[in-house]
Amino acid sequence: SSDSTTIRATLFPGDGIGPEIAESVKEIFKAADVPIEWEEHYVGDQIDPRTQSFLTWESLESVRRNGVGLKGPMATPIGKGHRSLNLTLRKELNLYANVRPCSSLPGYKTRYDDVNLITIRENTEGEYSGLEHQVVRGVVESLKIITRQASLRVAEYAFHYAKTHGRERVSAIHKANIMQKTDGLFLKCCREVAEKYPEIKYEEVIIDNCCMMLVKNPALFDVLVMPNLYGDIISDLCAGLVGGLGLTPSCNIGEGGIALAEAVHGSAPDIAGKNLANPTALLLSGVSMLHHLNLHDKADQIQNAILNTIAEGKYRTADLGGSSSTTDFTKAICSHL
Amino acid sequence: SSDSTTIRATLFPGDGIGPEIAESVKEIFKAADVPIEWEEHYVGDQIDPRTQSFLTWESLESVRRNGVGLKGPMATPIGKGHRSLNLTLRKELNLYANVRPCSSLPGYKTRYDDVNLITIRENTEGEYSGLEHQVVRGVVESLKIITRQASLRVAEYAFHYAKTHGRERVSAIHKANIMQKTDGLFLKCCREVAEKYPEIKYEEVIIDNCCMMLVKNPALFDVLVMPNLYGDIISDLCAGLVGGLGLTPSCNIGEGGIALAEAVHGSAPDIAGKNLANPTALLLSGVSMLHHLNLHDKADQIQNAILNTIAEGKYRTADLGGSSSTTDFTKAICSHL
Ligand SMILES: CC(C)[C@H](C(=O)O)[C@@H](O)C(=O)O
Ligand SMILES: CC(C)[C@H](C(=O)O)[C@@H](O)C(=O)O
């Protein structure tokens, strides 16, 4: 069924509402004639010793082979002795940058209508080292690790992104007034990279001040780059400005150009299987994937159909205040293609 | 000049606009017949070896002796070999909890009109340990330290605050899904204290999700308690919701009931000495100090005068979109007493 122009991409439908929203993506991509053939992989029911998690080695190999993938929400099974599925993907595929475009959706009203920024998060180290230690009972410590290699890599990604996406400014977010050595190294790397991009403005903003400015006037920001935990916090904050994780795409970039796009919202087990889920975040993540594949026309076509459907307001899922089913919302998007 | 009912309190006017806004506080407190005699202390021009900072030992002794103080902005002088003035105060006075009430100001419009929460930040440990280390060139680490003692102490303060201030719920903010040992210990301590306060609801919210909820619907929150860095971030975020650090009070609580209230905004050297500064944050911090001294009537009287002056809108400083001088704004508040 695949011809020479078909691109193979890995699809992890994920848990809970994952399969339904993945179905919606497949349908819309098909209706838009996107030349993608999906290779579906599921979360296993056994721990794969090669990944120490419920994700199988074969499914990771699929992303490595294809170079691109799309991932639905995955609920990490409760219990000990295995790694979180999200962290397994980041570590095993060396997904070093998490990129989240965040823009006000025309037609979906929040307190903000002027958000148009990109958060770029270092995704492999920092506070996520996993190194923790009990010194004595009642005294515990955890290690934050910042390396020159990972900081340069994500900074380079951010400036390159800014340059190739017509963005004007990169803001490095930090707390180097307190963590002078770790966040200091991160800033030093950003400054080094900034010198190579004289056409892109560069500034440094302390994280607490950044959060205050974001809620007062998000239009002040363009591209933000930051260590892992700050990225975790700020990307969710920014998603909140435009409506939440159900509406915002995410894409992870790995070494060798791998891209794994993902919906970062939860698996919503309470509404799973009920045809109520909103596929927007997974769809927009699919759109990021298409951009990554240089299928910009298809990407724009699908993105416009999604935004127009939401703006029109006739078909909206319950989380957006409507009463449409997932399948009706999907059909409405197809009709806007 | 002091009689038996006079309370002595330390005043650090601070740098930049500090002296002007401290003058405003003194005038308004006098007009309201607050029985306080100020003991003024200044930041020194030499490093005091006993504090390793420009704050003298005598000025810290003054707060210890009086038990209460009010602090304007202090610009930490640039250079090496000394500690930040804010951190010196926290360490030397063991100011373990930073309390910031954050409410929408009637009459001062932002995107939010429904904020009414209190952030309570652990103020002595966590990411602020000051322990950093270069492993090899290009690899640095910093240590976050969480102790049972400090976590119980701030949790106890938060629940006691909730109970004595008619608050319903305490939310502990954390990232224990990643930092299981450190943030896990913090949560364990919060749970232990929660058991002693069955009348106060208790919940745990992951920091990224908390920031998203705060910008979507801050009315969901009541009292928030958290480790140091999360407190730093979230308290500024919340200040941003209601207008910024120029409008929000802060009070640090230390062992033995010490209270050091402070304006947490900067010293604004660009407008210093020009009679343009907004004294509101320092005034409201002074109001927190009065509550701490159980001078609730005086506190309410002054707070109402401030809020009414701002709401009336006739006298506002430039940062609030007006053109009043500090002294005219101050007189207007006095006339509302
Ligand atoms: C689920 C959790 C481990 C994860 C993180 O902290 O990175 C999530 O919040 C995210 O942003 O992808
Ligand atoms: C100035 C800085 C060291 C300080 C902090 O990080 O605690 C400030 O942001 C605060 O919140 O008081």
Side-chain angles (χ1 to χ4, degrees), chain B residues 33-232:
Chain B
D33 274 329
V34 176
I36 278 186
E37 189 175 338
W38 296 107
E39 205 174 285
E40 286 191 39
H41 281 271
Y42 294 86
V43 176
D45 55 7
Q46 304 262 356
I47 294 174
D48 184 327
R50 295 164 299 175
T51 66
Q52 294 167 50
S53 92
F54 288 83
L55 276 171
T56 62
W57 187 255
E58 285 69 26
S59 61
L60 299 182
E61 274 302 312
S62 164
V63 186
R64 284 198 194 94
R65 193 174 53 241
N66 295 327
V68 284
L70 180 63
K71 167 187 169 291
M74 289 180 184
T76 290
I78 291 170
K80 295 276 163 192
H82 61 82
R83 289 197 301 195
S84 127
L85 303 175
N86 287 312
L87 297 190
T88 301
L89 283 163
R90 289 178 206 164
K91 292 229 184 227
E92 295 292 343
L93 300 174
N94 206 352
L95 299 173
Y96 67 84
N98 178 247
V99 184
R100 299 225 220 149
C102 189
S103 297
S104 297
L105 270 66
Y108 184 70
K109 220 179 133 46
T110 70
R111 304 186 199 231
Y112 300 83
D113 58 8
D114 50 355
V115 183
N116 178 11
L117 55 82
I118 314 280
T119 61
I120 298 181
R121 162 185 181 184
E122 201 293 318
N123 221 8
T124 65
E125 56 176 31
E127 305 78 358
Y128 285 63
S129 71
L131 295 166
E132 290 190 296
H133 171 73
Q134 173 173 306
V135 185
V136 291
R137 248 181 90 83
V139 179
V140 286
E141 54 188 23
S142 61
L143 225 51
K144 162 171 167 174
I145 295 177
I146 299 283
T147 68
R148 181 169 159 78
Q149 194 216 355
S151 304
L152 282 176
R153 184 169 62 169
V154 74
E156 180 63 53
Y157 187 85
F159 277 93
H160 182 258
Y161 185 102
K163 183 172 175 169
T164 53
H165 289 72
R167 296 274 172 174
E168 282 180 7
R169 191 157 27 106
V170 171
S171 310
I173 314 304
H174 68 97
K175 189 81 198 178
N177 51 337
I178 294 297
M179 281 163 281
Q180 300 182 357
K181 289 192 184 163
T182 46
D183 286 6
L185 176 57
F186 183 81
L187 287 184
K188 191 166 170 288
C189 293
C190 289
R191 283 176 209 154
E192 267 181 58
V193 175
E195 300 234 318
K196 299 199 298 172
Y197 291 84
E199 69 279 31
I200 307 288
K201 289 189 204 111
Y202 172 65
E203 66 174 4
E204 296 168 357
V205 186
I206 300 181
I207 176 144
D208 45 340
N209 190 236
C210 175
C211 290
M212 185 167 61
M213 288 164 73
L214 276 169
V215 301
K216 286 183 79 171
N217 190 1
L220 291 172
F221 291 98
D222 195 345
V223 176
L224 297 88
V225 64
M226 54 223 137
N228 212 339
L229 181 69
Y230 309 154
D232 180 50

Side-chain angles (χ1 to χ4, degrees), chain A residues 26-244:
Chain A
K26 287 191 279 182
E27 220 163 288
I28 291 163
F29 275 39
K30 201 169 170 188
D33 274 330
V34 176
I36 279 186
E37 190 174 338
W38 296 107
E39 206 173 284
E40 288 192 35
H41 281 270
Y42 294 87
V43 177
D45 54 6
Q46 305 261 357
I47 294 174
D48 184 326
R50 294 164 299 175
T51 66
Q52 294 168 51
S53 91
F54 289 82
L55 275 172
T56 63
W57 188 255
E58 284 70 26
S59 61
L60 298 183
E61 275 302 314
S62 165
V63 186
R64 283 197 196 95
R65 193 172 53 241
N66 295 326
V68 282
L70 180 64
K71 168 187 167 291
M74 289 179 182
T76 290
I78 292 170
K80 295 276 164 193
H82 61 82
R83 288 198 298 193
S84 127
L85 303 175
N86 287 313
L87 297 190
T88 300
L89 282 163
R90 289 177 205 167
K91 292 227 183 229
E92 296 292 343
L93 300 174
N94 205 352
L95 299 172
Y96 66 86
N98 178 248
V99 183
R100 299 223 217 151
C102 189
S103 298
S104 297
L105 270 65
Y108 183 71
K109 221 181 132 43
T110 69
R111 305 188 199 229
Y112 300 83
D113 58 9
D114 50 356
V115 183
N116 179 12
L117 55 84
I118 315 280
T119 62
I120 298 182
R121 162 184 181 185
E122 201 293 319
N123 220 8
T124 64
E125 55 176 32
E127 306 77 358
Y128 284 64
S129 72
L131 295 168
E132 291 191 296
H133 170 74
Q134 173 173 306
V135 185
V136 292
R137 250 181 89 84
V139 179
V140 287
E141 54 188 23
S142 61
L143 225 50
K144 162 171 166 173
I145 296 177
I146 299 285
T147 68
R148 180 170 159 80
Q149 193 216 356
S151 305
L152 282 176
R153 184 169 64 171
V154 75
E156 181 63 52
Y157 188 85
F159 278 92
H160 183 258
Y161 186 100
K163 183 173 177 169
T164 54
H165 288 73
R167 297 273 173 176
E168 283 180 7
R169 190 158 28 108
V170 171
S171 311
I173 314 303
H174 69 96
K175 189 80 196 176
N177 50 338
I178 294 297
M179 281 163 282
Q180 301 181 356
K181 290 193 184 164
T182 47
D183 286 6
L185 175 58
F186 184 80
L187 288 185
K188 191 167 171 288
C189 294
C190 289
R191 282 175 210 156
E192 266 180 58
V193 176
E195 301 233 319
K196 299 199 298 172
Y197 291 84
E199 68 279 31
I200 306 288
K201 289 189 202 112
Y202 171 66
E203 66 173 6
E204 296 169 356
V205 186
I206 300 181
I207 176 145
D208 45 341
N209 190 237
C210 176
C211 290
M212 186 168 60
M213 288 164 72
L214 276 169
V215 301
K216 285 183 78 170
N217 189 2
L220 292 172
F221 291 98
D222 194 345
V223 176
L224 297 87
V225 64
M226 56 223 137
N228 212 338
L229 182 69
Y230 310 153
D232 180 51
I233 294 171
I234 288 191
S235 56
D236 273 29
L237 187 168
C238 292
L241 301 177
V242 303

